[in-house]
Amino acid sequence: MLVVEDSSASKESKQKDLEGKKQQKGCCRIRYQGGGFDYFPSTEEECVKKPGYHSYLKDSPICFQSLWD
């Protein structure tokens, strides 16, 4: 039995999956010099580039909840 795999097609699908994960929005946590934190929706790449970057939370609802709910 001979199995032939189209490597270019599999590479493209893997690359698209990685791009989709990178563009997925999560919650970015920024620490201020004077103390305190701020949270906002962001992709992981955008978050890491921000000054004061503290952490990136993939599945946290804190960025998407209204303060008045």
Side-chain angles (χ1 to χ4, degrees):
M1 184 167 145
L2 179 63
V3 177
V4 178
E5 184 178 313
D6 184 6
S7 61
S8 63
S10 64
K11 285 181 184 177
E12 287 179 17
S13 67
K14 288 179 183 178
Q15 190 174 25
K16 286 180 182 178
D17 289 344
L18 289 174
E19 288 174 5
K21 288 180 182 177
K22 287 180 184 177
Q23 297 303 321
Q24 191 174 31
K25 291 220 176 193
C27 192
C28 187
R29 183 178 183 187
I30 301 296
R31 174 178 276 186
Y32 291 108
Q33 288 181 349
F37 292 96
D38 194 9
Y39 299 86
F40 60 92
S42 174
T43 64
E44 189 170 8
E45 287 180 345
E46 293 170 339
C47 183
V48 173
K49 293 177 185 177
K50 298 285 183 187
Y53 164 77
H54 183 266
S55 61
Y56 178 76
L57 310 167
K58 291 180 184 177
D59 297 321
S60 177
I62 194 165
C63 288
F64 306 102
Q65 291 178 338
S66 171
L67 295 174
W68 296 278
D69 284 343

